[in-house]
Amino acid sequence: MLEDELGVPLFERTTRTVSLTPEGQEFAAEARHILDNLESLAGRFRREGRVSHRPVRLGAIDSAAAGLVPELLAELRSTRPSTTVILTEDKSIRLLPKLLSGSLDLAIVRPGAAPNPRLTSMHLLYETPVVAIHGDHPLAGKERLTVTDIAELPMIVPERRSRPHSHDLTIKLFEEAGLVPTIAQIAEEKQTILNMVAAGIGAAIVPRWSSRLVQSGVAFRKLSDISDTQSRRLPLALVWQKNVRDGDRDRLADVLQTLVGRLAA
């Protein structure tokens, strides 16, 4: 779009690489100079108290929105009361395009296998999966369950396209136990999965923080099969656009990193 507007080729493109033309290098150097001046000016206005902070637009997947974001907001109110957060809750596959388009400043997501080169990623933690089971089921009386315990139960499994980490983890845990899950239903939304568990359709392996999505009739039990092996847990990462400067966003990321360290401890 910028090339069309300027009428000048800024990039040299081949089937394998993209590089700047001499004109593109000149434009980029001037643009960086302008951005540096803008950042300096904005910093001076903030120091003088002449600019109010704009809201930070944060995206988060459902389990993080239920388990991590409330802790983050409480921490911000005590340490940075001037910071306002607008939260968008969605799946990773929908949050990342919003981040790339500029409609979000940062997002808490499940990281993909192939990171986008336009994004910076910071690992936060690994979320432990638990078993969601009907509250009246005999197995709900146990404090911990194994995959073998639930091998005969019909399972409600997340739809892989929208929730690949959770889907693959369920299949992997059964495979490692030498078992094949009996899939009774595939569902896309976490709340729908829990509603199905409450209705007695089957059990589900869900992220630990899903237990904060309060659902009457559902019991959450730890899995004895889970160890410190990263492949048996669900990663969470904070991502933002690589070449976009935003002091408020960076300060929120710092608070979140400190909070995560405390929660992990």
Side-chain angles (χ1 to χ4, degrees):
M1 291 171 64
L2 189 57
E3 285 180 321
D4 289 342
E5 181 180 344
L6 298 175
V8 175
L10 300 176
F11 299 96
E12 293 179 349
R13 300 172 177 84
T14 70
T15 56
R16 292 181 177 272
T17 62
V18 177
S19 60
L20 289 170
T21 62
E23 293 82 3
Q25 293 175 6
E26 181 181 355
F27 190 94
E30 290 292 336
R32 290 191 186 98
H33 180 65
I34 292 170
L35 288 173
D36 287 340
N37 288 339
L38 179 61
E39 182 67 19
S40 175
L41 178 63
R44 179 164 63 84
F45 269 64
R46 289 193 186 99
R47 287 192 299 272
E48 295 173 0
R50 294 159 65 180
V51 176
S52 60
H53 292 276
R54 71 167 179 82
V56 179
R57 301 162 299 172
L58 172 66
I61 62 172
D62 48 16
S63 64
L68 184 57
V69 172
E71 302 273 2
L72 171 63
L73 296 180
E75 184 77 9
L76 285 172
R77 285 180 179 169
S78 63
T79 60
R80 296 187 179 276
S82 63
T83 301
T84 303
V85 175
I86 298 176
L87 177 65
T88 297
E89 183 180 336
D90 213 328
K91 302 178 187 67
S92 297
I93 60 169
R94 294 177 183 164
L95 290 174
L96 293 176
K98 293 178 181 178
L99 198 60
L100 290 167
S101 71
S103 59
L104 289 176
D105 298 308
L106 67 173
I108 303 171
V109 299
R110 304 277 185 223
N116 190 301
R118 292 171 55 194
L119 298 177
T120 295
S121 176
M122 178 178 75
H123 172 74
L124 293 175
L125 50 80
Y126 287 96
E127 193 176 356
T128 302
V130 296
V131 177
I133 193 169
H134 194 280
D136 291 336
H137 194 281
L139 289 176
K142 300 180 68 173
E143 183 178 348
R144 288 177 176 268
L145 297 174
T146 66
V147 173
T148 303
D149 290 332
I150 62 175
E152 301 301 322
L153 296 181
M155 298 297 297
I156 305 164
V157 178
E159 198 270 325
R160 191 180 190 282
R161 184 188 62 83
S162 60
R163 298 184 185 273
H165 285 89
S166 295
H167 176 279
D168 291 352
L169 179 64
T170 299
I171 303 303
K172 177 186 282 290
L173 288 172
F174 274 82
E175 286 179 349
E176 290 179 350
L179 301 166
V180 177
T182 302
I183 300 177
Q185 185 65 51
I186 294 176
E188 186 173 346
E189 300 297 335
K190 193 68 57 57
Q191 191 65 60
T192 301
I193 291 174
L194 296 179
N195 287 340
M196 291 180 177
V197 173
I201 293 173
I205 295 176
V206 298
R208 180 179 178 181
W209 275 329
S210 296
S211 61
R212 296 194 178 186
L213 302 171
V214 180
Q215 176 61 54
S216 177
V218 178
F220 297 90
R221 296 294 177 261
K222 296 178 181 178
L223 268 170
S224 298
D225 306 69
I226 299 301
S227 66
D228 289 335
T229 306
Q230 294 177 2
S231 63
R232 296 183 180 182
R233 295 180 291 167
L234 296 163
L236 270 183
L238 185 68
V239 293
W240 61 91
Q241 281 204 52
K242 184 175 293 184
N243 296 320
V244 175
R245 302 184 183 190
D246 188 329
D248 289 335
R249 177 205 65 196
D250 294 343
R251 283 185 282 273
L252 188 147
D254 290 341
V255 171
L256 182 56
Q257 190 172 29
T258 301
L259 174 63
V260 164
R262 195 163 68 239
L263 290 175

